[in-house]
Amino acid sequence: MKVWTQDISPRTRHISFPNPSRVPKDELSRCYYKLSRVRTIICEGLGSSASEEFFLETCISRFKHLRVLWLRGSSFDILPSSIGGLKHLRCLSLTDNCNIKELPKSVCELRNLQYLDLGRCEELKELPANIKNMINLRVLFITTKQQRFPERGIGCLTSLRWLFIAECENLEALFDDIQSLTSLRKLLIGGCPKLASLPQGIKNLKALEVLMIGGCKSLKLPEGESNEPRSMSRLQSFMIGGLSEIVSFTPQTQQE
């Protein structure tokens, strides 16, 4: 608690809150009032109590120039809709939130966001409908309860470099416009037991360097794709495991 009674420089840009639920609201308010240049907020394990909800809402409404909002391992069930006002935000991590069921529509107004981590958000029903508007996303981690991803959603994120799809227990299909991800370098698909097939366009990901697939026991890889001359010419690492439907797999070297 001593940290809250000390002077905090108005020039402070990066703050980590170890346990905001124990700090009285008036102390938080005095702290916020002094600060206007904060660029990073790190608060892991944020809960759903009234004081913690007040903390999150105040951070979002007060610090309009945030670049990083790191809320790993939290358990709140509502992300304030005011999140859409953080026009400068580059990084948003909600990973390991076991309670959040949906994201506010306003999250898709974060046009400058480059890193979005929704990994292990096991109760998240679906991605926001207008995720296609997040045109500067470069890294995306996904865990949802949906059966398939809509067309003209993730496929519109042409700046995407890394895509991680994991622990999606109900996922049966990806998205057919995956070939539109012309900048994608790393694709990881894991722990999706109902995923039956991959979209045909995956073989046209010419920038792809790493492909990892594991724990998808229903997945069948299409035959003959290794013979395609245009198949993933920059691929450096291909790892598969836990695919019980695959009896054998013989990769072929692309001919020059």
Side-chain angles (χ1 to χ4, degrees), residues 115-132:
Y115 180 104
L116 176 59
D117 191 349
L118 305 173
R120 295 191 292 273
C121 292
E122 298 174 354
E123 294 301 315
L124 188 64
K125 294 179 181 178
E126 60 184 6
L127 297 177
N130 288 324
I131 194 171
K132 62 183 179 182

Side-chain angles (χ1 to χ4, degrees), residues 63-212:
F63 304 130
K64 293 298 186 183
H65 297 281
L66 274 181
R67 267 52 168 188
V68 176
L69 183 56
W70 193 267
L71 302 171
R72 182 184 181 95
S74 296
S75 59
F76 57 83
D77 53 9
I78 296 177
L79 183 66
S81 59
S82 53
I83 188 76
L86 299 179
K87 303 300 184 183
H88 304 281
L89 198 65
R90 301 291 192 273
C91 171
L92 174 61
S93 176
L94 300 173
T95 187
D96 282 320
N97 187 318
C98 57
N99 288 334
I100 195 163
K101 293 180 172 60
E102 60 183 11
L103 299 177
K105 295 179 180 179
S106 60
V107 77
C108 295
E109 298 172 12
L110 301 174
R111 301 292 180 89
N112 290 311
L113 198 69
Q114 297 179 4
Y115 180 104
L116 176 59
D117 191 349
L118 305 173
R120 295 191 292 273
C121 292
E122 298 174 354
E123 294 301 315
L124 188 64
K125 294 179 181 178
E126 60 184 6
L127 297 177
N130 288 324
I131 194 171
K132 62 183 179 182
N133 294 334
M134 305 176 80
I135 56 176
N136 285 307
L137 269 184
R138 297 186 179 183
V139 179
L140 177 60
F141 293 78
I142 302 171
T143 300
T144 77
K145 298 174 75 68
Q146 61 199 108
Q147 292 183 332
R148 66 178 300 133
F149 299 123
E151 300 305 312
R152 295 197 56 77
I154 300 173
C156 295
L157 305 178
T158 55
S159 296
L160 208 60
R161 266 66 165 178
W162 291 10
L163 175 59
F164 300 86
I165 301 171
E167 309 303 327
C168 296
E169 296 288 335
N170 301 320
L171 191 65
E172 298 176 356
L174 299 182
F175 45 99
D176 290 335
D177 53 349
I178 194 170
Q179 70 275 2
S180 299
L181 301 180
T182 55
S183 299
L184 195 65
R185 299 173 185 170
K186 183 178 291 189
L187 174 60
L188 183 150
I189 304 169
C192 302
K194 294 184 179 179
L195 184 64
S197 63
L198 299 177
Q200 290 291 324
I202 198 170
K203 64 179 178 288
N204 297 321
L205 296 175
K206 296 181 179 180
L208 197 66
E209 298 172 355
V210 176
L211 175 59
M212 301 174 63

Side-chain angles (χ1 to χ4, degrees), residues 186-254:
K186 183 178 291 189
L187 174 60
L188 183 150
I189 304 169
C192 302
K194 294 184 179 179
L195 184 64
S197 63
L198 299 177
Q200 290 291 324
I202 198 170
K203 64 179 178 288
N204 297 321
L205 296 175
K206 296 181 179 180
L208 197 66
E209 298 172 355
V210 176
L211 175 59
M212 301 174 63
I213 306 173
C216 302
K217 62 183 182 181
S218 301
L219 184 63
K220 296 181 180 179
L221 294 182
E223 296 180 2
E225 286 197 358
S226 59
N227 295 320
E228 290 283 352
R230 64 183 182 277
S231 299
M232 306 184 208
S233 59
R234 296 183 60 183
L235 195 64
Q236 300 173 10
S237 179
F238 179 35
M239 290 172 278
I240 58 175
L243 308 185
S244 55
E245 288 293 329
I246 296 181
V247 177
S248 65
F249 177 75
T250 305
Q252 297 187 17
T253 303
Q254 182 176 334

